[in-house]
Amino acid sequence: MRRVPASARRAPAPLPVGVPAPAPAGSRRSLSRLTRRLLTVLPLLLIGVWAVLDWRALSAGTARLASADPGWLLVGFLFTCLGWLSASVVRQGALPERLPPGLLVASQFAAGAANHVLPASLGAHAVTLRFLQGQGVPLARATASLALYSLVRPIAKTLVLIGFVVALPDLLRLGDLVPDRRMLFLPLVAAGLGLAATLLLVTLVRPLRRPAVGFVRTALTDARRLHTMPSRILALWGGAAAAPLLQASVIHAVGASLGVTLSWAQVAFAYLAASSAVGSVPAPGGIGPVDAAMVFTLAVYGVPVSVGTATLIGYRVLTVWLPLLPGVLCMSALVHRKVL
């Protein structure tokens, strides 16, 4: 019998190990389709819950607006539409890449609806971030544009407020509207604590250092590049300065429809002062703190509290409730088309 050499002998084949079979492509496709459908319906469910919780304010504002001047309400609605356009202009000014204008305006219309659901503009930023990534903008650059957008808007509002103080010091009753020094000290302390906590977190948590350094480097590079482009400077700072003036114009139009006789400059300054004082409070769309501060500032000018409250309710109906359902439907359509 012929002996087989040891070198030619083969090791026995290893026993097969049970490896889970990959999920079929059809199941993954159906799961993705189901997730997209849930994301399409989720905003509608959130708006429905919010409508039930805030139904009293909605019905009261609608009843009050039924006796208002429809011409002035139409003017307020036009200023509301211009507000979405100004937000789109600022978003484009915060990014070097050129975005499609139609989809950009549609995304900001949808972002306005999301902004009134989540506090501190988180909903609007989330929608815009998804839109920018869908347009091929890298995550770091998209996040840097959101940070620049969030930084420029309060600075521009403060500059506009200072411009009102310098141009119209006697008309605006500064002594009654300027808060106490202790009230001005609190936002500064809160901002300092927030900055210190962020720096401490980045310093102590090592995995956050590299992303944080990369984000800061990208943000500074893009900001420097944008400020060498005149069109982006005009869009960024001009749009940011126009945004609060457009919102104040909506309040003035609603107030005029209810018989408020204040001038546009007085209403604009009242809104700038109120939103600057309590705008940092994390409420959905600023609803609540800004409204209360605005009623107080209108009362300083002699507007009865009941009329001031009705004016702010009408303002919220025009800027929040009236475009809310179309905005959510627009968001669902953009999700369905994979734009978001």
Side-chain angles (χ1 to χ4, degrees), residues 89-90 93-94 148-149 152 156 226-227 231-241:
V89 170
V90 181
L148 182 61
Y149 174 91
V152 166
L226 287 169
H227 284 83
S231 60
R232 295 296 189 269
I233 295 175
L234 180 61
L236 181 64
W237 290 97

Side-chain angles (χ1 to χ4, degrees), residues 137 306 317:
V137 180
S306 60
V317 169

Side-chain angles (χ1 to χ4, degrees), residues 105-290:
V105 175
S107 70
Q108 293 311 293
F109 182 50
N115 189 45
H116 298 301
V117 177
L118 297 176
S121 300
L122 293 178
H125 289 333
V127 171
T128 303
L129 183 63
R130 292 291 300 171
F131 170 73
L132 295 179
Q133 288 187 284
Q135 298 303 311
V137 180
L139 178 60
R141 178 164 289 174
T143 308
S145 72
L146 297 183
L148 182 61
Y149 174 91
S150 302
L151 179 64
V152 166
R153 290 197 65 168
I155 293 176
K157 181 190 293 186
T158 303
L159 294 177
V160 173
L161 181 60
I162 294 174
F164 270 83
V165 173
V166 173
L168 304 169
D170 299 329
L171 178 65
L172 302 175
R173 299 185 184 178
L174 298 179
D176 296 330
L177 290 178
V178 174
D180 187 77
R181 291 183 179 180
R182 290 172 295 181
M183 296 300 296
L184 294 175
F185 182 69
L186 292 178
L188 296 177
V189 172
L193 291 177
L195 180 60
T198 302
L199 294 177
L200 184 63
L201 184 64
V202 172
T203 303
L204 296 180
V205 183
R206 184 171 299 178
L208 294 179
R209 293 180 191 174
R210 181 176 296 178
V213 172
F215 166 75
V216 172
R217 185 181 295 113
T218 302
L220 293 178
T221 302
D222 285 355
R224 192 183 305 112
R225 179 184 175 188
L226 287 169
H227 284 83
T228 62
M229 307 167 66
S231 60
R232 295 296 189 269
I233 295 175
L234 180 61
L236 181 64
W237 290 97
L245 297 179
L246 291 173
Q247 293 172 338
S249 299
V250 178
I251 298 177
H252 177 260
V254 175
S257 71
L258 296 173
V260 177
T261 58
L262 296 180
S263 65
W264 177 86
Q266 290 174 319
V267 175
F269 181 76
Y271 175 76
L272 289 169
S275 59
S276 299
V278 298
S280 60
V281 178
I287 296 176
V290 174

Side-chain angles (χ1 to χ4, degrees), residues 44-64:
L44 295 174
L45 296 178
L46 292 176
I47 296 306
V49 172
W50 192 39
V52 171
L53 296 177
D54 203 24
W55 178 254
R56 182 176 300 177
L58 175 63
S59 60
T62 305
R64 182 72 181 184

Side-chain angles (χ1 to χ4, degrees), residues 8-105:
R9 296 176 185 174
R10 293 183 179 180
L15 295 176
V17 180
V19 178
S27 62
R28 290 198 300 267
R29 199 177 300 115
S30 61
L31 180 61
S32 176
R33 190 182 302 114
L34 177 61
T35 303
R36 187 167 296 278
R37 288 179 179 176
L38 290 177
L39 290 176
T40 304
V41 178
L42 181 60
L44 295 174
L45 296 178
L46 292 176
I47 296 306
V49 172
W50 192 39
V52 171
L53 296 177
D54 203 24
W55 178 254
R56 182 176 300 177
L58 175 63
S59 60
T62 305
R64 182 72 181 184
L65 289 178
S67 61
D69 185 354
W72 276 110
L73 293 180
L74 179 60
V75 171
F77 179 71
L78 292 178
F79 280 119
T80 301
C81 297
L82 290 177
W84 302 322
L85 184 60
S86 71
S88 304
V89 170
V90 181
R91 295 289 188 186
Q92 177 62 84
L95 199 67
E97 290 87 353
R98 183 173 178 80
L99 301 172
L103 289 179
L104 177 59
V105 175

